[in-house]
Amino acid sequence: MAIENEPTGFTGCIREIVINNRELNLTVTDSKGGANIGDCDGTDCGYAVCKNNGTCQVENLGFSCSCPREWTGTTCEQSIYCSQNMCGSHALCIPQPSSLSYTCSCTLGWTGKYCDNKIKFYIAKFVGNSYIKYTDPFYGKRDLQYSRLSLNFTTNQTEGLIAWMGKSEDEDNDFLAIGLANGTLKVVINLGERISVPLMRSKYFTCSDGRWHFITVVQNQTCIKVYLDEELILFEDIDPQRKYTALNYGGICYFGGFEIGREVNIVTTGLFQKEFFGKIKDVVLFQDSKKIQLMKAEGYNIHDGNSGN
Protein backbone atom coordinates (compact mmCIF):
# COMPACT_ATOMS: atom_id res chain seq x y z
CA MET A 1 0.00 0.00 0.00
CA ALA A 2 2.96 2.31 0.49
CA ILE A 3 3.40 2.69 -3.27
CA GLU A 4 -0.14 2.16 -4.62
CA ASN A 5 -1.11 5.78 -3.97
CA GLU A 6 1.03 8.71 -2.91
CA PRO A 7 4.28 7.33 -1.46
CA THR A 8 4.27 7.02 2.32
CA GLY A 9 7.43 7.85 4.23
CA PHE A 10 9.00 5.12 6.34
CA THR A 11 8.68 5.18 10.12
CA GLY A 12 11.11 2.95 11.98
CA CYS A 13 14.79 2.16 12.23
CA ILE A 14 17.37 1.21 9.59
CA ARG A 15 20.94 0.04 10.14
CA GLU A 16 23.71 -2.03 8.55
CA ILE A 17 23.18 -0.91 4.95
CA VAL A 18 25.70 -2.77 2.77
CA ILE A 19 26.19 -1.93 -0.92
CA ASN A 20 28.74 -3.90 -2.95
CA ASN A 21 30.25 -5.34 0.25
CA ARG A 22 30.79 -1.88 1.76
CA GLU A 23 28.82 -0.80 4.81
CA LEU A 24 27.53 2.77 4.87
CA ASN A 25 28.29 4.81 7.98
CA LEU A 26 24.91 6.19 9.03
CA THR A 27 26.25 9.09 11.07
CA VAL A 28 25.81 12.85 11.06
CA THR A 29 29.30 13.45 9.66
CA ASP A 30 29.30 10.71 7.02
CA SER A 31 25.87 11.42 5.51
CA LYS A 32 25.52 13.83 2.58
CA GLY A 33 22.30 15.29 3.94
CA GLY A 34 18.89 14.53 5.42
CA ALA A 35 16.11 15.76 7.69
CA ASN A 36 14.05 14.58 10.66
CA ILE A 37 16.40 11.71 11.54
CA GLY A 38 17.11 10.73 15.13
CA ASP A 39 19.26 8.21 16.92
CA CYS A 40 17.47 4.86 16.86
CA ASP A 41 19.77 2.52 18.77
CA GLY A 42 17.44 2.49 21.74
CA THR A 43 20.03 1.49 24.36
CA ASP A 44 23.61 2.36 25.20
CA CYS A 45 24.68 -0.83 23.45
CA GLY A 46 23.42 0.43 20.12
CA TYR A 47 24.82 -1.20 16.99
CA ALA A 48 28.34 -2.64 16.82
CA VAL A 49 29.50 -0.79 19.94
CA CYS A 50 31.68 -3.75 20.94
CA LYS A 51 34.31 -4.51 18.30
CA ASN A 52 35.80 -7.83 17.20
CA ASN A 53 32.71 -9.91 18.06
CA GLY A 54 32.48 -8.61 21.60
CA THR A 55 29.15 -8.93 23.44
CA CYS A 56 27.48 -5.75 24.75
CA GLN A 57 25.65 -5.66 28.06
CA VAL A 58 23.48 -2.75 29.24
CA GLU A 59 24.29 -1.50 32.75
CA ASN A 60 22.98 1.24 35.03
CA LEU A 61 25.73 3.66 34.05
CA GLY A 62 25.92 2.72 30.38
CA PHE A 63 27.28 -0.51 28.94
CA SER A 64 30.13 -3.00 29.19
CA CYS A 65 31.70 -5.31 26.62
CA SER A 66 32.53 -8.95 27.14
CA CYS A 67 35.52 -9.53 24.85
CA PRO A 68 36.78 -12.64 23.04
CA ARG A 69 39.97 -14.15 24.45
CA GLU A 70 42.41 -12.25 22.20
CA TRP A 71 40.88 -8.78 22.60
CA THR A 72 40.68 -6.24 25.42
CA GLY A 73 39.74 -2.60 26.06
CA THR A 74 36.48 -0.79 26.78
CA THR A 75 35.02 -1.79 23.39
CA CYS A 76 37.30 -4.80 22.64
CA GLU A 77 39.26 -2.57 20.29
CA GLN A 78 42.77 -3.60 21.35
CA SER A 79 44.57 -6.89 20.81
CA ILE A 80 45.94 -8.44 24.01
CA TYR A 81 49.26 -8.77 22.19
CA CYS A 82 49.44 -4.98 21.84
CA SER A 83 48.29 -4.09 25.35
CA GLN A 84 51.89 -3.82 26.60
CA ASN A 85 53.51 -2.78 23.33
CA MET A 86 56.60 -0.59 23.15
CA CYS A 87 55.89 0.94 19.73
CA GLY A 88 56.71 4.63 19.56
CA SER A 89 54.32 7.47 18.82
CA HIS A 90 55.06 7.17 15.09
CA ALA A 91 53.92 3.57 14.86
CA LEU A 92 50.97 1.20 14.78
CA CYS A 93 51.04 -1.99 16.79
CA ILE A 94 50.29 -5.01 14.61
CA PRO A 95 49.32 -8.13 16.61
CA GLN A 96 51.00 -11.41 15.68
CA PRO A 97 48.79 -14.12 17.26
CA SER A 98 50.81 -16.98 15.79
CA SER A 99 53.86 -15.91 17.81
CA LEU A 100 51.89 -14.45 20.75
CA SER A 101 53.62 -11.14 20.08
CA TYR A 102 53.45 -7.98 17.97
CA THR A 103 55.39 -5.89 15.47
CA CYS A 104 55.58 -2.12 15.08
CA SER A 105 54.51 -0.67 11.74
CA CYS A 106 56.32 2.64 11.18
CA THR A 107 54.81 5.74 9.63
CA LEU A 108 56.62 7.39 6.73
CA GLY A 109 59.94 8.90 7.83
CA TRP A 110 60.51 6.55 10.77
CA THR A 111 62.18 3.17 11.14
CA GLY A 112 63.60 0.78 13.73
CA LYS A 113 62.10 -2.03 15.79
CA TYR A 114 59.97 0.44 17.73
CA CYS A 115 59.84 3.13 15.02
CA ASP A 116 61.93 5.58 17.02
CA ASN A 117 64.61 6.34 14.40
CA LYS A 118 63.88 9.28 12.10
CA ILE A 119 65.03 8.93 8.47
CA LYS A 120 65.02 10.80 5.17
CA PHE A 121 65.13 9.14 1.79
CA TYR A 122 65.13 9.85 -1.92
CA ILE A 123 64.92 6.19 -2.85
CA ALA A 124 62.02 4.34 -1.20
CA LYS A 125 62.69 0.76 -0.16
CA PHE A 126 59.65 -1.51 0.14
CA VAL A 127 59.82 -4.67 2.24
CA GLY A 128 56.51 -6.34 1.44
CA ASN A 129 54.28 -4.83 4.14
CA SER A 130 55.02 -1.32 2.87
CA TYR A 131 53.03 1.25 0.93
CA ILE A 132 53.00 4.92 -0.03
CA LYS A 133 49.77 6.78 -0.77
CA TYR A 134 50.35 10.03 -2.64
CA THR A 135 47.65 12.68 -3.14
CA ASP A 136 48.19 14.72 -6.30
CA PRO A 137 47.77 18.42 -5.41
CA PHE A 138 47.32 19.34 -9.08
CA TYR A 139 44.58 16.79 -9.83
CA GLY A 140 41.91 19.45 -10.41
CA LYS A 141 44.01 21.00 -13.21
CA ARG A 142 44.98 17.77 -14.98
CA ASP A 143 43.77 16.85 -18.46
CA LEU A 144 42.70 13.30 -17.66
CA GLN A 145 42.57 12.28 -21.33
CA TYR A 146 46.36 12.58 -21.49
CA SER A 147 47.84 10.91 -18.41
CA ARG A 148 51.43 9.91 -17.82
CA LEU A 149 53.32 8.03 -15.10
CA SER A 150 57.05 7.33 -15.03
CA LEU A 151 59.41 5.92 -12.40
CA ASN A 152 62.55 3.89 -11.79
CA PHE A 153 62.33 0.57 -9.94
CA THR A 154 64.48 -2.41 -9.04
CA THR A 155 63.53 -5.82 -7.63
CA ASN A 156 64.52 -9.47 -7.73
CA GLN A 157 60.99 -10.70 -6.99
CA THR A 158 58.72 -12.21 -9.63
CA GLU A 159 55.45 -10.83 -8.19
CA GLY A 160 54.52 -7.40 -6.92
CA LEU A 161 52.44 -4.27 -7.40
CA ILE A 162 54.74 -1.36 -8.23
CA ALA A 163 52.23 1.47 -8.78
CA TRP A 164 48.45 1.91 -8.82
CA MET A 165 47.16 5.22 -10.13
CA GLY A 166 43.57 5.36 -8.83
CA LYS A 167 41.47 5.53 -5.66
CA SER A 168 40.98 1.74 -5.31
CA GLU A 169 37.90 2.26 -3.15
CA ASP A 170 35.65 0.01 -5.23
CA GLU A 171 35.69 -1.87 -8.52
CA ASP A 172 34.09 1.03 -10.42
CA ASN A 173 37.17 3.25 -9.95
CA ASP A 174 39.38 3.97 -12.97
CA PHE A 175 43.02 3.00 -12.62
CA LEU A 176 46.38 2.57 -14.30
CA ALA A 177 48.56 -0.13 -12.74
CA ILE A 178 52.16 -1.29 -13.15
CA GLY A 179 53.55 -4.45 -11.61
CA LEU A 180 55.15 -7.85 -12.03
CA ALA A 181 53.41 -11.16 -12.63
CA ASN A 182 55.26 -14.45 -13.10
CA GLY A 183 58.49 -12.51 -13.43
CA THR A 184 57.33 -10.31 -16.29
CA LEU A 185 56.19 -6.72 -16.56
CA LYS A 186 52.43 -6.20 -16.46
CA VAL A 187 50.52 -3.00 -17.17
CA VAL A 188 46.75 -2.80 -16.68
CA ILE A 189 44.38 0.09 -17.37
CA ASN A 190 40.68 0.62 -16.72
CA LEU A 191 38.97 3.72 -18.12
CA GLY A 192 35.42 2.66 -17.27
CA GLU A 193 32.82 -0.06 -16.81
CA ARG A 194 35.23 -2.30 -14.89
CA ILE A 195 36.92 -3.31 -18.15
CA SER A 196 40.48 -4.02 -17.02
CA VAL A 197 42.81 -4.41 -19.99
CA PRO A 198 46.10 -6.25 -19.24
CA LEU A 199 48.59 -5.07 -21.82
CA MET A 200 51.61 -7.36 -21.55
CA ARG A 201 52.84 -10.63 -20.12
CA SER A 202 55.59 -11.49 -22.60
CA LYS A 203 58.75 -13.10 -21.20
CA TYR A 204 60.66 -10.47 -23.17
CA PHE A 205 59.76 -7.89 -20.55
CA THR A 206 61.39 -9.64 -17.59
CA CYS A 207 62.43 -7.12 -14.94
CA SER A 208 63.07 -9.32 -11.88
CA ASP A 209 66.85 -9.09 -12.26
CA GLY A 210 67.86 -6.73 -9.46
CA ARG A 211 68.75 -3.97 -11.94
CA TRP A 212 67.27 -0.50 -12.17
CA HIS A 213 64.60 -0.14 -14.86
CA PHE A 214 62.89 3.01 -16.09
CA ILE A 215 59.24 2.67 -17.10
CA THR A 216 56.87 5.23 -18.56
CA VAL A 217 53.19 4.67 -19.33
CA VAL A 218 51.42 7.27 -21.49
CA GLN A 219 47.65 7.39 -22.00
CA ASN A 220 46.42 9.46 -24.96
CA GLN A 221 42.67 8.94 -24.65
CA THR A 222 42.35 5.22 -25.46
CA CYS A 223 45.84 4.84 -26.96
CA ILE A 224 48.42 3.46 -24.55
CA LYS A 225 52.21 3.64 -24.96
CA VAL A 226 54.64 1.85 -22.66
CA TYR A 227 58.37 2.65 -22.62
CA LEU A 228 60.85 0.40 -20.82
CA ASP A 229 64.37 1.75 -20.39
CA GLU A 230 63.45 4.45 -22.93
CA GLU A 231 62.45 1.91 -25.60
CA LEU A 232 58.87 1.85 -26.87
CA ILE A 233 57.68 -1.71 -26.12
CA LEU A 234 53.94 -1.31 -26.53
CA PHE A 235 51.55 0.87 -28.52
CA GLU A 236 47.91 -0.19 -28.39
CA ASP A 237 44.45 1.31 -28.78
CA ILE A 238 42.37 -0.39 -26.07
CA ASP A 239 39.03 0.97 -27.35
CA PRO A 240 38.79 2.25 -30.95
CA GLN A 241 35.14 3.21 -30.23
CA ARG A 242 36.39 5.88 -27.79
CA LYS A 243 33.62 5.15 -25.29
CA TYR A 244 35.77 6.13 -22.30
CA THR A 245 38.75 8.38 -22.86
CA ALA A 246 39.71 9.81 -19.44
CA LEU A 247 41.62 8.29 -16.53
CA ASN A 248 39.56 9.54 -13.57
CA TYR A 249 42.06 8.43 -10.94
CA GLY A 250 40.79 10.70 -8.18
CA GLY A 251 44.18 12.28 -7.56
CA ILE A 252 45.42 9.19 -5.67
CA CYS A 253 48.54 7.12 -6.43
CA TYR A 254 49.64 4.06 -4.47
CA PHE A 255 53.16 2.66 -4.60
CA GLY A 256 54.15 -0.82 -3.42
CA GLY A 257 50.77 -1.82 -2.03
CA PHE A 258 47.73 -0.53 -0.15
CA GLU A 259 46.82 0.41 3.40
CA ILE A 260 47.52 -2.04 6.23
CA GLY A 261 44.93 -4.82 6.16
CA ARG A 262 44.11 -4.40 2.46
CA GLU A 263 45.64 -7.32 0.58
CA VAL A 264 46.90 -6.62 -2.94
CA ASN A 265 45.32 -9.70 -4.52
CA ILE A 266 41.91 -8.74 -3.11
CA VAL A 267 42.01 -5.00 -3.90
CA THR A 268 43.24 -5.66 -7.46
CA THR A 269 40.82 -8.60 -7.91
CA GLY A 270 43.68 -10.94 -8.73
CA LEU A 271 45.46 -8.73 -11.26
CA PHE A 272 48.48 -8.67 -8.94
CA GLN A 273 49.23 -11.17 -6.20
CA LYS A 274 51.61 -9.53 -3.75
CA GLU A 275 53.00 -6.32 -2.34
CA PHE A 276 56.20 -4.96 -3.84
CA PHE A 277 59.66 -5.93 -2.58
CA GLY A 278 62.28 -3.55 -3.96
CA LYS A 279 63.07 0.11 -4.51
CA ILE A 280 61.34 2.99 -6.32
CA LYS A 281 62.65 6.45 -7.18
CA ASP A 282 62.20 9.39 -9.59
CA VAL A 283 58.39 9.27 -9.82
CA VAL A 284 56.93 11.85 -12.22
CA LEU A 285 53.25 12.47 -13.02
CA PHE A 286 52.04 13.85 -16.35
CA GLN A 287 54.55 16.36 -17.79
CA ASP A 288 55.56 17.82 -14.43
CA SER A 289 59.04 19.32 -14.28
CA LYS A 290 59.64 17.99 -10.75
CA LYS A 291 59.59 14.52 -9.26
CA ILE A 292 56.98 13.95 -6.57
CA GLN A 293 58.30 14.04 -3.01
CA LEU A 294 57.55 10.59 -1.64
CA MET A 295 58.74 11.68 1.82
CA LYS A 296 55.77 14.04 2.09
CA ALA A 297 53.16 11.40 1.27
CA GLU A 298 51.33 8.97 3.56
CA GLY A 299 52.68 5.49 4.17
CA TYR A 300 54.09 2.80 6.41
CA ASN A 301 57.21 0.64 6.64
CA ILE A 302 59.27 2.51 4.06
CA HIS A 303 63.04 2.21 4.50
CA ASP A 304 65.88 4.38 3.24
CA GLY A 305 66.89 2.92 -0.12
CA ASN A 306 69.90 5.21 -0.48
CA SER A 307 72.13 3.02 1.67
CA GLY A 308 73.24 -0.43 0.58
CA ASN A 309 72.37 -2.11 -2.72
Side-chain angles (χ1 to χ4, degrees):
M1 292 177 63
I3 59 174
E4 283 184 357
N5 300 306
E6 185 177 345
T8 302
F10 175 71
T11 300
C13 299
I14 294 175
R15 72 180 187 190
E16 198 172 1
I17 299 177
V18 180
I19 299 177
N20 293 337
N21 296 319
R22 290 175 61 87
E23 183 174 348
L24 304 186
N25 293 321
L26 303 181
T27 65
V28 173
T29 55
D30 289 302
S31 301
K32 297 295 184 183
N36 300 324
I37 301 295
D39 180 38
C40 208
D41 287 333
T43 70
D44 289 315
C45 276
Y47 165 57
V49 169
C50 300
K51 311 300 181 184
N52 299 301
N53 296 319
T55 302
C56 187
Q57 299 166 335
V58 178
E59 297 183 348
N60 292 334
L61 298 177
F63 71 92
S64 66
C65 291
S66 177
C67 304
R69 183 170 56 89
E70 294 185 346
W71 297 93
T72 186
T74 305
T75 58
C76 309
E77 76 284 0
Q78 187 178 47
S79 167
I80 59 172
Y81 306 114
C82 284
S83 60
Q84 303 294 326
N85 80 81
M86 297 176 61
C87 299
S89 58
H90 302 281
L92 287 178
C93 179
I94 307 298
Q96 303 292 334
S98 60
S99 58
L100 306 180
S101 185
Y102 67 91
T103 57
C104 300
S105 184
C106 306
T107 57
L108 209 61
W110 296 85
T111 188
K113 184 177 182 179
Y114 301 117
C115 305
D116 47 9
N117 296 327
K118 190 171 179 58
I119 61 169
K120 290 184 178 181
F121 61 84
Y122 300 99
I123 302 174
K125 181 179 179 180
F126 297 78
V127 294
N129 60 346
S130 321
Y131 81 93
I132 289 177
K133 180 181 180 182
Y134 176 78
T135 302
D136 182 6
F138 306 112
Y139 176 68
K141 300 178 181 179
R142 303 293 198 192
D143 185 345
L144 303 181
Q145 295 190 76
Y146 303 94
S147 304
R148 184 179 182 273
L149 171 63
S150 67
L151 55 85
N152 281 283
F153 72 93
T154 179
T155 183
N156 55 14
Q157 300 291 308
T158 59
E159 302 284 341
L161 174 68
I162 298 171
W164 183 280
M165 196 172 175
K167 292 189 293 184
S168 81
E169 293 175 351
D170 59 60
E171 53 192 7
D172 286 327
N173 295 150
D174 291 6
F175 66 83
L176 185 159
I178 302 170
L180 297 166
N182 295 325
T184 62
L185 189 65
K186 184 177 183 180
V187 175
V188 189
I189 189 165
N190 179 5
L191 298 179
E193 284 194 347
R194 308 181 189 177
I195 303 173
S196 302
V197 183
L199 295 178
M200 58 183 62
R201 287 291 291 275
S202 169
K203 291 183 179 180
Y204 175 74
F205 306 121
T206 300
C207 296
S208 306
D209 53 11
R211 300 179 181 178
W212 281 103
H213 294 282
F214 179 52
I215 184 170
T216 300
V217 181
V218 179
Q219 171 237 345
N220 183 339
Q221 295 188 348
T222 60
C223 293
I224 310 300
K225 290 183 180 180
V226 178
Y227 297 85
L228 180 63
D229 298 328
E230 298 187 345
E231 177 185 350
L232 179 63
I233 61 173
L234 182 106
F235 182 15
E236 184 172 332
D237 190 343
I238 61 174
D239 180 17
Q241 304 300 320
R242 301 287 195 276
K243 186 174 183 181
Y244 297 99
T245 60
L247 180 66
N248 299 295
Y249 67 103
I252 302 297
C253 296
Y254 288 92
F255 300 97
F258 300 102
E259 291 91 345
I260 295 171
R262 301 182 69 205
E263 301 295 333
V264 165
N265 64 324
I266 295 175
V267 177
T268 69
T269 60
L271 292 172
F272 299 94
Q273 296 301 314
K274 294 173 59 178
E275 296 80 7
F276 181 63
F277 286 79
K279 300 178 182 180
I280 294 174
K281 66 178 181 178
D282 305 334
V283 181
V284 177
L285 296 180
F286 292 79
Q287 299 294 335
D288 293 353
S289 59
K290 295 183 179 180
K291 307 167 189 175
I292 68 174
Q293 298 186 49
L294 296 176
M295 269 289 299
K296 295 187 176 180
E298 165 195 328
Y300 275 90
N301 296 325
I302 301 297
H303 296 257
D304 179 7
N306 302 313
S307 58
N309 296 324

